[in-house]
Amino acid sequence: MPGFSHYRRSLTSSRFVRNVGLLAVGTVVAKSVGVVSAPLLTRFYAPEDFGALAGVLAIGIVLSALGTLQFYQAIPLPPELREAVALKNLSLLSTAVVTTGVALLVFTCGDRALEMSSLQALSGYFFLVPIVLFFLCVHDVLNWWAIRNKAFKKLSCASFVQGLSASCFQLALGATGIGAAGLIGGDILGRFASTLPLVELRSRNLVVDWRCSMRDIVSAAAKYWRFAVLITPSNVLNRLTNRLPVLVLLTFYGPAVAGWFALSDLVLRTPISLLGASIGKAYLAEVAERRRTGKGSIRTLLQKTTLTLAIIGLPPLLLILFAGHHVFRFAFGADWIWAGHFARLLAIGMYVKLIASTVSQTLHVLQKQHVQFFWDLASHAAIVGAFCTAIVFGWSFSGAVAVYSASLTASYLAYLLLIWRSAIAGDNRADEKVEIQSLKAA
């Protein structure tokens, strides 16, 4: 039988494994740089500055789902290069049109829009939204173009460049004392720097790029219209729901509260995304194999993975619950003690989210996409309902964060229950098939 060294050589020689490793390293380093630089940034910037950055990014991220009309997600699909180029140019053309439209609205109706939405805290920075939107969209398009070209080294490099350059620019601008403009400007410069390694990919097919006609672009739009019509509204809704806490806190409680929430969310979400992504990939591979071959219980794998995640996440959960405000005060300064209190309120919800989101691919493997769809709708409704309750009853900002955390916890507990029941049903059907086959064989 082949030994461990054989499997190790097989893994290290696998192109897929190397590509996953490259992307993982770039992502880990980029996110780690953001968290590591946070204690320095909080010495240069006030909570209000972080709130303004979170607000501008929230608006830009929501609009970016509309900016490209999601055509970039189809770039890896066409077998012909010309059609892929047409999709890329279509995405960039859509970005230019939407960004120009948003810029016109910002400069003509921006003050009125901020007044109507009670977002006057962004009045000095609202003009930066079209710039943020543009680079978010361009980054998405170039990322998927790089995926088609399998330029994973450049993707990893781009992630690293963005994380490092954004932090360096923000620190440098923070030293000048220009406030939130430094945070937002540094983020924009970081996104611009991250596009440079990816722009070089264009030179490989320069002739094809220039020869792509408007007819090719129209044809690509007609062929892949479902991405714009069906996927775009879904992504807008998902991004709006994900950014809703920041926008609500900014609107009703001010930029300082939004800044405290943004920092606590960053500190809690980063290890969850990194740990969940690494364990989730291994879990997905194993659960898919068990589903495909019928060998091994999905329920048993789900139970072991859930227990492992619960054990791994328990020490940091207890630390945040009992000493979060002290940890944040020590790491980020006295102005950020409320971010520590927010982290304590959010900790249990994030803990359950870590477990449920990591094993969520179980539903896709078992072809339970309808369950995922209805849970998405219910969780969105729960988050909106939580903030509506806090606003209607006039609760304090800590009450608003607490009810949001309660809705988050309840939603992901329900999610985990749905995953568990689906796994049990999947095992039962697999057992029935094995029994029927054994009876036929007899």
Side-chain angles (χ1 to χ4, degrees), residues 156-205:
S156 181
C157 178
S159 297
F160 171 73
V161 168
Q162 179 178 344
L164 181 61
S165 58
S167 297
C168 290
F169 283 127
Q170 287 171 336
L171 287 171
L173 293 172
T176 66
I178 61 176
L183 273 177
I184 302 171
D187 183 84
I188 292 173
L189 291 172
R191 295 183 189 279
F192 168 74
S194 71
T195 63
L196 298 180
L198 302 177
V199 168
E200 296 177 6
L201 291 171
R202 188 179 186 279
S203 61
R204 295 184 180 182
N205 304 302

Side-chain angles (χ1 to χ4, degrees), residues 37-47 50 171 183 263 328 331-333 335-336:
S37 65
L40 296 175
L41 291 174
T42 53
R43 265 65 181 187
F44 287 105
Y45 297 101
F50 275 81
L171 287 171
L183 273 177
L263 181 65
F328 272 69
F332 305 111
D335 290 341
W336 296 91

Side-chain angles (χ1 to χ4, degrees), residues 130-391:
I131 304 175
V132 172
L133 169 62
F134 175 79
F135 282 112
L136 283 169
C137 292
V138 170
H139 185 266
D140 285 340
V141 176
L142 294 180
N143 263 20
W144 284 71
W145 181 250
I147 289 172
R148 178 184 175 86
N149 286 273
K150 298 182 179 180
F152 297 105
K153 286 184 179 180
K154 290 187 179 294
L155 279 173
S156 181
C157 178
S159 297
F160 171 73
V161 168
Q162 179 178 344
L164 181 61
S165 58
S167 297
C168 290
F169 283 127
Q170 287 171 336
L171 287 171
L173 293 172
T176 66
I178 61 176
L183 273 177
I184 302 171
D187 183 84
I188 292 173
L189 291 172
R191 295 183 189 279
F192 168 74
S194 71
T195 63
L196 298 180
L198 302 177
V199 168
E200 296 177 6
L201 291 171
R202 188 179 186 279
S203 61
R204 295 184 180 182
N205 304 302
L206 188 60
V207 176
V208 180
D209 276 2
W210 284 109
R211 290 183 179 180
C212 177
S213 66
M214 184 57 66
R215 179 178 296 179
D216 294 326
I217 293 176
V218 172
S219 176
K223 183 175 181 179
Y224 296 95
W225 63 270
R226 289 179 179 82
F227 285 82
V229 176
L230 301 179
I231 297 180
T232 297
S234 175
N235 281 358
V236 170
L237 177 62
N238 286 333
R239 296 186 187 191
L240 180 60
T241 305
N242 289 335
R243 299 292 163 173
L244 188 63
V246 166
L247 294 174
V248 170
L249 294 175
L250 186 63
T251 300
F252 292 95
Y253 300 102
V257 176
W260 291 328
F261 180 88
L263 181 65
S264 62
D265 186 65
L266 170 68
V267 172
L268 294 177
R269 191 182 297 271
T270 298
I272 287 175
S273 61
L274 295 179
L275 182 63
S278 57
I279 297 179
K281 286 185 178 69
Y283 174 81
L284 175 59
E286 181 63 24
V287 74
E289 183 178 355
R290 294 192 180 194
R291 172 67 171 175
R292 185 173 59 252
T293 62
K295 298 178 180 178
S297 168
I298 294 178
R299 178 178 55 186
T300 302
L301 176 64
L302 175 62
Q303 183 178 4
K304 290 181 179 179
T305 306
T306 301
L307 181 60
T308 301
L309 289 165
I311 294 173
I312 292 175
L314 188 58
L317 170 66
L318 295 176
L319 175 63
I320 293 297
L321 281 177
F322 292 104
H325 52 303
H326 297 302
V327 172
F328 272 69
R329 181 171 185 170
F330 173 77
F332 305 111
D335 290 341
W336 296 91
I337 191 170
W338 266 109
H341 287 298
F342 285 178
R344 296 174 69 190
L345 292 173
L346 294 169
I348 294 178
M350 290 294 192
Y351 178 69
V352 179
K353 181 179 180 179
L354 164 66
I355 298 171
S357 60
T358 303
V359 298
S360 62
Q361 291 296 328
T362 306
L363 295 178
H364 298 287
V365 171
L366 297 174
Q367 298 183 9
K368 296 286 186 179
Q369 285 82 0
H370 63 285
V371 176
Q372 178 72 52
F373 173 75
F374 286 115
W375 179 83
D376 284 337
L377 291 180
S379 64
H380 294 337
I383 292 174
V384 173
F387 280 113
C388 287
T389 301
I391 294 167

